[in-house]
Amino acid sequence: MILIKEAKRLEDHLSAVRQKGQTIGFVPTMGALHQGHLSLISQCKTASGYTVSSIFVNPTQFNDPGDFEKYPVTIEQDILLLERSGCDVLFLPDIKEIYPNQPNKPVSFDLGYLDAILEGYYRPGHFQGVCQVVSRLLGIIQPDMLFMGQKDYQQCMVVKKLIEITHSKTDLVVCNTSRELSGLAMSSRNMRLSSIEKEKALAIYHTLQWLKTNIKAGPVKKLIEAGKEQISKAGFEKIDYIAIARADNLQLIAEWDGQTPIIALVAAFLNGVRLIDNLVLKK
Ligand code: AMP
């Protein structure tokens, strides 16, 4: 695996790869890698001739500076894992490579409704920061395919919209959520949980499954309230949201017709660690 830190060097390197006719797949990450990230690399390798990954903890997408400071960094281990996974290039830029001018310059991507609900509502500015870094990375790498995880369902929809509004030629591939054997969604933030807390954290997945089993046509309010109670009882100190939404556009629903594909999404805090997960309730 080649490690490249400068944007210009990566651009030159990839233009040579492109000239050889190889398709380029890209997996952006913030590091602290786990099997979820590696499953993206593996799907990228299967689908494309050349696999690029990046590690950059993007400050502009953290609405909470404390969360940014506490974000786990395990760079040596990450490099080893990527090397073993068969990744071809790791892009490891510093902030000046990503934001050569002004990192704090306000950006405005028109994400419409997606920026106002759920993660957009509870983390103001988060998706603007995501779009800022993803558009910069796509500009440098110009991948044929971009691999992202369903674990961040709303982020996938935001990036799909970004690709549309910027007329990018990159295809987005959404990969399934990797889970621990217990069902807990893998996340870099899980590193901040003790083993007892990881057991408590399972309440999110269990509640999502419970919603899937119990959803039926009609109003969804009572079901959501019961779900909130399950998560609170498990020891979560704060729930940002439990929501049921149309799977195709994330429009929140109050009543289900029994037919429309829907997804349940959760964000909640356990001992100061904010966890998110989602589950398709009806395909
Ligand atoms: P992050 O490093 O958390 O920004 O994640 C980088 C990419 O990995 C994003 O596309 C995430 O959606 C994806 N990802 C994170 N956790 C998982 C998981 N458990 N399963 C699949 N993809 C994941």
Side-chain angles (χ1 to χ4, degrees):
M1 183 176 76
I2 308 171
L3 195 159
I4 296 182
K5 295 189 170 183
E6 298 83 26
K8 177 76 179 70
R9 236 193 95 205
L10 182 61
E11 283 168 354
D12 291 347
H13 177 75
L14 292 178
S15 83
V17 170
R18 228 169 271 116
Q19 267 171 20
K20 285 189 207 147
Q22 278 181 297
T23 55
I24 296 173
F26 175 43
V27 180
T29 82
M30 296 205 297
L33 301 184
H34 49 67
Q35 280 305 322
H37 297 112
L38 298 179
S39 81
L40 266 54
I41 298 279
S42 149
Q43 288 169 75
C44 181
K45 275 183 67 69
T46 306
S48 40
Y50 203 81
T51 295
V52 181
S53 187
S54 63
I55 297 179
F56 178 66
V57 185
N58 175 36
T60 70
Q61 72 187 67
F62 285 83
N63 53 312
D64 170 5
D67 189 26
F68 175 61
E69 276 151 31
K70 281 184 244 151
Y71 202 82
V73 177
T74 59
I75 193 67
E76 276 159 31
Q77 162 90 350
D78 293 350
I79 292 173
L80 267 176
L81 288 172
L82 285 174
E83 199 142 40
R84 275 193 220 139
S85 73
C87 175
D88 295 299
V89 170
L90 167 59
F91 182 41
L92 189 61
D94 70 11
I95 188 149
K96 283 194 231 90
E97 292 295 323
I98 296 295
Y99 303 121
N101 303 318
Q102 296 157 279
N104 297 324
K105 193 173 140 221
V107 284
S108 179
F109 295 89
D110 183 8
L111 305 171
Y113 177 73
L114 280 177
D115 213 3
I117 54 156
L118 307 176
E119 294 299 287
Y121 178 82
Y122 285 97
R123 302 186 66 189
H126 169 63
F127 286 131
Q128 293 297 321
V130 168
C131 286
Q132 189 181 22
V133 73
V134 172
S135 63
R136 172 76 177 127
L137 290 167
L138 291 184
I140 297 167
I141 294 160
Q142 297 180 35
D144 299 287
M145 279 178 278
L146 171 66
F147 294 79
M148 302 190 87
Q150 189 199 311
K151 158 87 170 30
D152 299 277
Y153 194 83
Q154 193 174 357
Q155 172 169 275
C156 290
M157 301 205 77
V158 161
V159 170
K160 192 170 153 227
K161 175 108 185 167
L162 173 74
I163 286 173
E164 272 166 34
I165 60 184
T166 56
H167 308 289
S168 161
K169 291 199 181 90
T170 301
D171 289 327
L172 175 66
V173 181
V174 178
C175 305
N176 288 341
T177 302
S178 298
R179 298 181 179 279
E180 308 280 356
L181 279 179
S182 62
L184 181 67
M186 291 181 181
S187 165
S188 305
R189 287 189 168 86
N190 293 352
M191 288 180 195
R192 291 173 53 203
L193 300 175
S194 68
S195 48
I196 293 170
E197 286 165 347
K198 276 189 189 162
E199 294 218 347
K200 289 184 181 172
L202 260 178
I204 291 188
Y205 182 57
H206 290 159
T207 300
L208 287 167
Q209 284 184 312
W210 182 84
L211 291 172
K212 185 170 177 165
T213 308
N214 289 284
I215 185 91
K216 53 182 191 302
V220 299
K221 194 167 173 221
K222 280 197 179 142
L223 209 62
I224 289 178
E225 270 160 18
K228 280 188 180 160
E229 210 174 299
Q230 291 176 25
I231 290 180
S232 297
K233 265 196 188 151
F236 280 78
E237 69 267 21
K238 189 174 154 212
I239 300 173
D240 272 353
Y241 58 82
I242 299 187
I244 298 179
R246 281 177 56 143
D248 60 348
N249 61 10
L250 269 194
Q251 203 91 38
L252 303 180
I253 61 159
E255 196 157 333
W256 187 42
D257 60 10
Q259 301 284 323
T260 306
I262 47 170
I263 183 162
L265 307 102
V266 176
F269 287 86
L270 182 63
N271 233 341
V273 181
R274 189 173 186 277
L275 300 173
I276 62 169
D277 198 357
N278 61 74
L279 195 68
V280 172
L281 303 186
K282 165 97 170 82
K283 274 196 187 151

